[in-house]
Amino acid sequence: MIPSYHQIQGEKVHILLDQLLRDPAGFKEHCKMLGTSITMAVAFGYDLVPGHRDQYVELAEFAVNTAQGLVLPGRTLIPVFPFLKHIPTWFPGAFTQRLCARIKKAAVEYRNQPVEFVKKDMAAGLSKRCVLQQLIESHTDDNGLCKDEETIKDAMAGLYLAGVETMQTTDTDFIMAMTIHPDVQKMAQQEIDLVIGKDRLPTLDDRPSLPYVEAVYREVLRWRPVTPLGFPHSTVEDDIYKDLYIPKGAIIIPNVWAITRNEERYPEPELFRPERYFTEEGTLNKDTVSYVFGFGRRICPGRHLAETAVWLMIASVLATFNISKARDEHGNEIDVDDQAFTDTLAMHPLPFKCSITPRSQQAESLVREAAFAATRQL
């Protein structure tokens, strides 16, 4: 269903470009807004207004940001001593229980409220076309009852949470990479100028014609994977893998970071090198770095939405802006530490400074015109 929402993705990216033009120093918040606005629009037909807080977003952010610290094994003793989960929230020292109760309340509200919002607008004939509307219509019987509504709620919540997390983090990783590697940025811009020209902005239809930009996108995913340890899985039965016995119920953590640092597959893995995705003949190889989105039944449900949005953001920013190191009051470049990341389940870059300026007056005009047209659709 995602290709039918490419226009919405383009409009939200154009608004991001305008935000970078007006307030380049706030790029991290703008990237966060992009991921959230795309997912809310596609999933629920709900448009966010730039610069304004939103009740649904605040609920989801609280649930995600606090739960991340509890998901990793070792952060709480409950998996080790299951009887602890029966301790009531009022009991002295039951911090985890009280926090989980708040997370559950926020998650339940977020899971239910957007669905009720869409159903209410559908009944009034005001709803915008979105994934949830199509799911409700296709699962509603002749009596007006929506079948599998609970499953739909779970799926939509997963789409939002996974899509936003991947988009906002990867977009910021891209800006860091371009700040540190101006040579890569220049090569990608040369390809865009040659293939697209300077009279329009990139679209997703241009993706097959921009192999170096595609390689930059893949390298961003590999260089700093959003979830370096993936999401914990659990074995449902005893298993043996490469002579290693794994008992039923064991927690299995896929080491995505180790995959991205496999020197046989990625020589000098710490270097940011988009060229590693090209064959000797100069064509893209088959390594799409899809493993960063997870594995098996718990693969990222928002991956199709995230990958198109991230690629379009990368291509659009490269086409219109120059990214470089910021300078201090004495004119000296401010170094960026490419190892400065959080240690949470989803790895975010710590705050850093950079300079983001329009490539030309023509690029600035393109951004303003596209953003004006996109804003009119809100």
Side-chain angles (χ1 to χ4, degrees), residues 70 73 125 183 216 225 240 245:
L70 297 175
D183 53 329
V216 170
I240 295 178
Y245 171 65

Side-chain angles (χ1 to χ4, degrees), residues 11 15 50 54 108 122 150 181 197 214 236 239 273 293 304-305 318 352:
E11 291 170 354
I15 291 175
D54 184 88
V108 168
M122 288 177 65
E150 296 305 306
H181 300 282
E214 177 71 23
V236 295
D239 196 11
R273 291 179 50 213
F293 291 107
H304 304 296
L305 179 66
L318 286 170
F352 65 94

